[in-house]
Amino acid sequence: MTIRDKILIIEDEPTIANFMRAILEARDYEVMIVQSGAMASTLIASHCPDLIILDLGLPDMDGMQLLKAVRQWSKVPVVVVSARSHERDKVAALDAGADDYLTKPFSVDELLARLRVTQRRLALIKADTAKETPIFTNGALKIDYAAGCAYL
Ligand code: CA
């Protein structure tokens, strides 16, 4: 059995979200899409995605706000995909904890390459933290301290 990487796409434009979903599912990722920041917060906590693709212009909040909130408790890799191309927006997102920043419009190859880079980095972090913070298991309960997630 292979466990597929779960990617959460937070994007309110269905065309872009569905386009990314098609690309990622073809590469065997498990894809979830949400269109608002509030829905994203709930889903991140309950589903523990392996990677998040975040649009900054969301209907109910600024993606930056969501990014900062998630970084309070999670190290999940976040790749920002935004139409905001100004340097100060990129710097602010990276400083707030984004792992990468992709400007719309982007090419499929660039998106996939950025995701691969982010995942390689994550694999290294996971290997490191596995040494330091072991995963706690008790019966069916499993707590992954590094990811900030509990599984049953
Ligand atoms: Ca948007």
Side-chain angles (χ1 to χ4, degrees), residues 5-147:
D5 279 336
K6 273 187 283 188
I7 298 189
L8 173 64
I9 299 174
I10 307 168
E11 168 67 74
D12 62 315
E13 288 159 67
T15 319
I16 298 176
N18 289 329
F19 168 69
M20 289 197 279
R21 181 209 285 271
I23 294 166
L24 296 172
E25 283 184 347
R27 265 91 184 162
D28 216 26
Y29 290 105
E30 188 183 330
V31 180
M32 296 171 284
I33 298 176
V34 288
Q35 295 174 358
S36 73
M39 277 160 60
S41 300
T42 311
L43 213 77
I44 294 165
S46 61
H47 283 70
C48 291
D50 296 294
L51 196 145
I52 293 173
I53 297 176
L54 173 67
D55 173 32
L56 292 183
L58 299 171
D60 60 335
M61 66 171 80
D62 191 290
M64 283 295 294
Q65 207 183 320
L66 179 66
L67 174 61
K68 286 175 188 164
V70 167
R71 274 293 170 264
Q72 300 283 319
W73 60 275
S74 174
K75 290 178 184 165
V76 59
V78 176
V79 175
V80 169
V81 174
S82 174
R84 298 176 198 169
S85 60
H86 202 284
E87 188 185 355
R88 69 165 178 265
D89 291 314
K90 294 182 190 176
V91 171
L94 294 168
D95 279 348
D99 294 87
D100 206 346
Y101 193 109
L102 204 53
T103 308
K104 292 176 187 171
F106 53 86
S107 74
V108 172
D109 285 343
E110 185 175 10
L111 173 67
L112 292 170
R114 303 272 190 138
L115 295 182
R116 284 196 297 272
V117 170
T118 304
Q119 283 184 306
R120 276 202 299 272
R121 215 182 287 148
L122 176 70
L124 292 174
I125 293 168
K126 273 187 177 168
D128 264 6
T129 47
K131 284 179 224 151
E132 295 158 16
T133 49
I135 290 168
F136 171 83
T137 49
N138 186 354
L141 173 70
K142 184 177 138 190
I143 298 174
D144 183 339
Y145 290 101

